[in-house]
Amino acid sequence: MAFYSGPYDDPVQVAFKAADESVTTAVLQDDDDLQLAVKAGKYYAVEFYCVAAGAEDLKFKFSAPGTSTLVWNDFGNLVADLSGAGQLSTAAEVYAVAADLTWANTAADAGYAVSYGLLACDTDGTFKVQFCGAVGVAAVTMKAGSYLILRKLN
């Protein structure tokens, strides 16, 4: 569910999950709710708060149009890089938007992670959160209350 503070070009956009979304696959798919419009030549401060639960680890990535880049870091009790695709730490790391990471889940209990970053957008389109299970044999759930905020900086 996306909520905007005004028209498409407003400086702050917010999307949040009003209901849980579960998947049983190892193929990344767009989150149904966590998607916001972006414009070429603009910089955005990104804030992503994820609450997840399930019987296996959660794989996620950010998706943006063109070859946009994102400098970001994570913290929270889900943060553990099991995939080898990137290094999650308290220091910011530079990733291509297409890099996917696996967060260790806390079995059936809900865990959380927060990501902050700077998105440099080179093409108009949609900035999205994608997720799936790391193995795809058990359901993982992006919980209600997860949200994505983009703040346009220029």
Side-chain angles (χ1 to χ4, degrees):
M1 176 176 292
F3 287 87
Y4 303 93
S5 57
Y8 166 72
D9 202 27
D10 253 21
V12 178
Q13 299 181 68
V14 179
F16 76 96
K17 297 197 73 59
D20 292 355
E21 180 180 351
S22 296
V23 298
T24 307
T25 179
V27 177
L28 286 162
Q29 65 178 44
D30 295 347
D31 182 279
D32 291 344
D33 302 304
L34 303 180
Q35 306 180 26
L36 292 168
V38 292
K39 293 186 63 102
K42 300 298 180 185
Y43 289 86
Y44 297 87
V46 177
E47 180 179 335
F48 170 51
Y49 177 74
C50 170
V51 181
E56 69 177 72
D57 296 332
L58 173 82
K59 182 189 287 187
F60 93 101
K61 80 172 188 174
F62 296 109
S63 174
T67 57
S68 300
T69 58
L70 182 65
V71 179
W72 59 288
N73 70 338
D74 292 42
F75 64 91
N77 69 356
L78 286 176
V79 176
D81 179 22
L82 305 179
S83 67
Q87 176 66 38
L88 294 181
S89 68
T90 56
E93 302 288 341
V94 179
Y95 299 104
V97 174
D100 61 272
L101 298 170
T102 301
W103 283 341
N105 213 338
T106 54
D109 298 330
Y112 79 96
V114 180
S115 301
Y116 295 101
L118 176 66
L119 173 67
C121 213
D122 68 348
T123 306
D124 288 357
T126 305
F127 183 73
K128 306 173 186 179
V129 173
Q130 298 179 320
F131 78 103
C132 66
V135 179
V137 296
V140 294
T141 303
M142 185 81 70
K143 303 288 284 177
S146 298
Y147 65 81
L148 175 66
I149 299 173
L150 295 180
R151 291 176 181 88
K152 190 168 61 171
L153 302 176
N154 66 332

